[in-house]
Amino acid sequence: MMDNRFEINEVAEGIRLCTYNTDRFKTGRLSFNIAVPLLKDASRNAILPYILNRSCEEYKTYRELNKKLAGLYGATLTPSVTKNGEAHILRLSMTMIDNKFAFDNEDIILACAELLFGLVFCPNADENGFDEAEVTREKRLMVERIQGEMNDKRVYALRRLERIMCENEAFSSNVYGTEEGINALTPESIYEAYRNVLETGHILVNAVGNVDAGKIAELLKKYIAESGVVRKAPATLRTEVVPTADELKRATEELPVNQGKLVMGFRTGVAADTVEEEYPKLKIMTDIFGGGTYSRLFMNVREKMSLCYYCSARFYRQKGIIVVQSGIEDENAETAEKEILSQLESIKNGEVGKEDIRASLLSMKDMLRSACDTPEDIDSWSASQITESRFEAPEEIEKRLMSVTESDVVEAAKRVTLDTVYLLKGTEEK
């Protein structure tokens, strides 16, 4: 059975503290997460975690900050940005030793929380904005991150599919922004964005380990009050969900790669207000279609027909779309596409048995019951629900999935329509 120790504390409107008290681990985990609407050019928000990760009012240089981290038994800081539907998630996370290993009964997790809150609420900035030298450095690194996506052709092909399929939707935006947008940033414009996200963003603080929820909540309230940030009504986080594909879009691109990439995007036939209700059916259907080694795509397209090096399907819960990714030889592209669609058609035609459901449900149980295996897993689980109105523990999701039947899977599959096909072909220059 899963060990549900999640405790949710609504600190203020739009500010949630999620703690998971346990002594199972050697390390603790903290994260500060802010969700804001994903902009067409996300540059000015995307750079914020990386700027805040460098220094703060008390530790004005990266060297001073690292000295402080060393004094906290070698705690580490990691900035990141992701998207959850059409919400942009800005994140600073910390890993540290658990309290039971600190000297003199020191509350090391609380000390790390104080540093984390200081980085967020007391930045190294003045009336002219953030430090210009640090802004210049982080702008260069952000451009390198955007350009670096080109080096991972699997990621590149997925991003191209998203941009083509969701061309007029915020979901098409790159979480790092654009090169032009990054280059146009100034210390003042970044600071303006910083104030805006703290005033209007949905904030989630996660704490895992031997934590005192009450002390962390009081510390968080103290920093909010002393920061001078005037909280406004949290921005509305709304994801546009397009139920069906009106027309099939195709795009082909050639690059000097050895392995081609075929990526297919599907609409799932659900509207924004029914995505959560239909989630269990679509999750299991997608898993049977292209999840584990028992899935139709793995057993048939990859193994039996040897058309792909890899072939899998993923359901994007908040966006209501399914994406199939595959690595292929260029000459197999047309056959692979037809066979992927044929496997989906077989599910639509009712070729789903109890064994399919059983294999998928066993896989889902394993996945959900490992969601609390490490402090990082627990943190990730909680962070993934930052846009949800109600927090759900893994066992609650499991209970919803276990009710899915064969007819539910067939019904869900019948509503799925192909929207976009993107093919990345290799040139003769290998």
Side-chain angles (χ1 to χ4, degrees):
M1 291 297 291
M2 284 177 280
D3 180 22
N4 180 9
R5 295 172 178 265
F6 290 102
E7 181 180 336
I8 310 301
N9 184 347
E10 299 293 338
V11 175
E13 185 183 5
I15 302 178
R16 176 187 293 170
L17 171 64
C18 177
T19 54
Y20 188 97
N21 191 293
T22 180
D23 59 3
R24 287 193 291 127
F25 307 119
K26 295 179 180 179
T27 57
R29 180 78 169 181
L30 291 167
S31 70
F32 196 103
N33 309 269
I34 307 177
V36 292
L38 182 63
L39 305 175
K40 196 65 178 174
D41 182 356
S43 305
R44 64 176 189 156
N45 290 337
I47 201 171
L48 289 174
Y50 301 92
I51 292 286
L52 297 176
N53 183 64
R54 297 286 303 174
S55 60
C56 63
E57 190 175 73
E58 186 173 359
Y59 307 102
K60 291 188 178 296
T61 67
Y62 195 50
R63 182 176 180 179
E64 290 177 20
L65 178 58
N66 276 325
K67 187 176 179 180
K68 174 62 178 177
L69 289 168
L72 291 169
Y73 301 89
T76 59
L77 265 169
T78 306
S80 61
V81 289
T82 56
K83 62 183 175 183
N84 194 337
E86 290 174 358
H88 200 187
I89 315 300
L90 319 177
R91 178 175 170 85
L92 263 182
S93 56
M94 288 188 76
T95 300
M96 69 295 296
I97 66 167
D98 193 62
N99 286 337
K100 61 179 176 283
F101 296 110
F103 295 123
D104 301 322
N105 296 317
E106 183 181 1
D107 192 337
I108 195 69
I109 297 179
L110 187 65
C112 286
E114 186 157 18
L115 175 60
L116 181 61
F117 297 158
L119 289 167
V120 174
F121 291 106
C122 308
N124 182 15
D126 56 25
E127 65 275 4
N128 296 317
F130 286 99
D131 181 79
E132 188 166 0
E134 291 191 353
V135 167
T136 300
R137 178 185 183 279
E138 290 306 325
K139 284 172 62 175
R140 174 177 59 80
L141 292 174
M142 287 298 287
V143 169
E144 289 178 5
R145 288 184 187 97
I146 294 171
Q147 294 173 343
E149 289 189 340
M150 187 71 176
N151 297 327
D152 187 334
K153 295 302 185 289
R154 188 167 180 171
V155 171
Y156 174 78
L158 176 61
R159 296 291 175 263
R160 291 288 293 132
L161 182 278
E162 290 175 355
R163 285 195 285 273
I164 297 164
M165 180 175 178
C166 306
E167 182 180 7
N168 298 314
E169 303 160 41
F171 191 75
S172 64
S173 299
N174 189 308
V175 294
Y176 295 127
T178 64
E179 289 188 45
E180 297 78 10
I182 293 293
N183 289 327
L185 293 174
T186 65
E188 296 84 0
S189 66
I190 297 172
Y191 188 72
E192 182 183 345
Y194 159 79
R195 297 291 298 188
N196 181 64
V197 300
L198 276 191
E199 290 172 356
T200 64
H202 294 250
I203 296 174
L204 169 66
V205 176
N206 293 329
V208 182
N210 274 301
V211 296
D212 187 320
K215 287 182 179 179
I216 293 180
E218 288 305 312
L219 188 64
L220 177 56
K221 291 175 183 177
K222 171 180 173 289
Y223 270 88
I224 294 171
E226 295 178 357
S227 68
V229 172
V230 180
R231 287 284 295 176
K232 301 174 183 176
T236 301
L237 299 177
R238 182 182 295 111
T239 296
E240 182 181 358
V241 178
V242 178
T244 58
D246 293 330
E247 59 178 345
L248 178 60
K249 297 188 282 289
R250 289 186 177 274
T252 301
E253 191 173 0
E254 291 189 353
L255 288 173
V257 294
N258 291 321
Q259 186 186 108
K261 310 292 180 188
L262 175 65
V263 192
M264 303 167 68
F266 299 81
R267 305 287 184 179
T268 58
V270 296
D273 58 350
T274 61
V275 169
E276 269 310 301
E277 178 187 336
E278 297 297 318
Y279 165 71
K281 303 172 189 177
L282 286 165
K283 180 67 175 176
I284 299 300
M285 187 279 292
T286 305
D287 191 57
I288 292 172
F289 178 39
T293 55
Y294 46 81
S295 72
R296 301 299 170 83
L297 296 185
F298 184 90
M299 289 195 300
N300 295 287
V301 184
R302 183 186 186 278
E303 293 295 294
K304 189 181 294 184
M305 301 183 72
S306 299
L307 292 172
C308 306
Y309 296 101
Y310 61 86
C311 191
S312 62
R314 177 186 173 189
F315 175 51
Y316 288 69
R317 173 176 174 171
Q318 287 77 16
K319 187 60 180 170
I321 63 176
I322 294 171
V323 173
V324 171
Q325 292 180 269
S326 55
I328 59 168
E329 294 292 343
D330 294 343
E331 60 269 21
N332 290 334
E334 185 177 347
T335 307
E337 179 186 331
K338 288 180 180 177
E339 189 55 34
I340 289 169
L341 292 174
S342 174
Q343 294 304 319
L344 177 61
E345 198 64 28
S346 72
I347 298 175
K348 291 183 178 183
N349 291 335
E351 297 174 27
V352 179
K354 283 184 168 53
E355 185 57 33
D356 295 308
I357 299 292
R358 190 188 73 83
S360 181
L361 292 181
L362 282 174
S363 176
M364 291 295 106
K365 279 185 179 180
D366 286 343
M367 179 192 72
L368 290 165
R369 293 184 181 189
S370 66
C372 297
D373 279 357
T374 69
E376 291 75 17
D377 289 337
I378 296 167
D379 179 30
S380 294
W381 176 270
S382 178
S384 71
Q385 297 193 57
I386 188 172
T387 60
E388 306 298 328
S389 58
R390 189 181 75 84
F391 179 90
E392 284 188 290
E395 57 266 33
E396 293 179 88
I397 299 290
E398 180 184 317
K399 186 177 180 181
R400 289 211 284 151
L401 292 175
M402 293 307 114
S403 65
V404 174
T405 65
E406 296 102 303
S407 60
D408 289 334
V409 169
V410 174
E411 175 194 335
K414 285 181 177 179
R415 295 197 301 264
V416 174
T417 54
L418 179 61
D419 185 290
T420 305
V421 177
Y422 171 78
L423 176 63
L424 175 61
K425 297 175 66 176
T427 62
E428 292 183 357
E429 181 188 349
K430 297 292 185 183

